[in-house]
């Protein structure tokens, strides 16, 4: 099966760089599956998983939004932050989830609700992806 080069990049540097058979991710417009030769596309991403399939192996990367650019020979994901499943600190992600939930439940006006909600979504995403490895 043909492969396509995938780069996941953050302001801190590259997170993933490999040849894969298929990329699956969630854009704001819906789920996307990308293979070699895909039509050129640019799409904003949501908080979610990027699944990178190569043969019987699947790698997972947690992204917190960003943009996806597809060209026939390369997929580039530009994300504010991204982590490979194997590098996610599960304990830290669970603590972040608990903190965000507490802030949302005890909303006394001292916390930005939207910011706490985004923190909760990011933490849940990281936990789910860490558990996939």
């Amino acid at each position: 099966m043909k492969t396509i080069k995938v780069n996941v990049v953050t302001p801190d540097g590259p997170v993933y760089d490999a040849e894969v058979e298929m990329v699956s991710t969630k854009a704001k417009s819906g789920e996307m599956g990308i293979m070699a030769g895909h039509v050129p596309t640019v799409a904003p991403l949501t908080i979610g998983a990027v699944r990178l399939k190569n043969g019987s192996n699947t790698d997972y990367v947690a992204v917190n939004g960003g943009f996806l650019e597809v060209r026939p020979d390369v997929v580039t994901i530009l994300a504010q932050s991204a982590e490979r499943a194997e590098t996610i600190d599960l304990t830290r992600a669970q603590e972040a989830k608990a903190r965000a939930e507490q802030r949302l439940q005890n909303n006394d006006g001292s916390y930005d609700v939207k910011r706490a909600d985004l923190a909760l979504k990011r933490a849940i995403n990281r936990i789910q992806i860490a558990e996939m490895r």
Side-chain angles (χ1 to χ4, degrees), residues 81-132:
S81 65
E83 291 178 88
R84 293 176 71 136
E86 59 270 16
T87 64
I88 294 173
D89 182 339
L90 186 56
T91 303
R92 191 172 140 241
Q94 291 168 334
E95 290 168 355
K97 178 180 180 265
R99 248 188 338 269
E101 288 173 334
Q102 182 179 9
R103 288 178 177 164
L104 287 168
Q105 289 172 357
N106 303 328
N107 183 16
D108 59 3
S110 63
Y111 295 108
D112 182 347
V113 174
K114 186 173 182 177
R115 186 173 169 189
D117 186 52
L118 285 172
L120 179 60
K121 288 177 183 173
R122 287 191 304 268
I124 290 169
N125 182 49
R126 293 175 67 230
I127 291 167
Q128 289 173 341
I129 291 169
E131 292 174 344
M132 290 181 190

Side-chain angles (χ1 to χ4, degrees), residues 4-121:
I4 188 166
K5 184 168 181 59
V6 178
N7 297 307
V8 179
V9 183
T10 70
D12 295 329
V15 174
Y16 190 90
D17 184 8
E19 295 274 336
V20 301
E21 294 173 357
M22 184 170 183
V23 179
S24 299
T25 191
K26 189 168 184 180
K28 289 191 177 182
S29 60
E31 197 73 28
M32 292 182 73
I34 301 149
M35 298 174 75
H38 193 282
V39 64
T41 306
V42 175
L45 298 176
T46 62
I47 294 171
V50 177
R51 291 168 303 286
L52 303 141
K53 187 171 177 1
N54 200 10
S56 62
N57 278 346
T58 302
D59 292 328
Y60 296 91
V61 177
V63 295
N64 295 318
F67 289 91
L68 167 84
E69 178 190 28
V70 179
R71 289 181 274 155
D73 57 340
V74 66
V75 174
T76 304
I77 295 172
L78 303 169
Q80 185 63 34
S81 65
E83 291 178 88
R84 293 176 71 136
E86 59 270 16
T87 64
I88 294 173
D89 182 339
L90 186 56
T91 303
R92 191 172 140 241
Q94 291 168 334
E95 290 168 355
K97 178 180 180 265
R99 248 188 338 269
E101 288 173 334
Q102 182 179 9
R103 288 178 177 164
L104 287 168
Q105 289 172 357
N106 303 328
N107 183 16
D108 59 3
S110 63
Y111 295 108
D112 182 347
V113 174
K114 186 173 182 177
R115 186 173 169 189
D117 186 52
L118 285 172
L120 179 60
K121 288 177 183 173

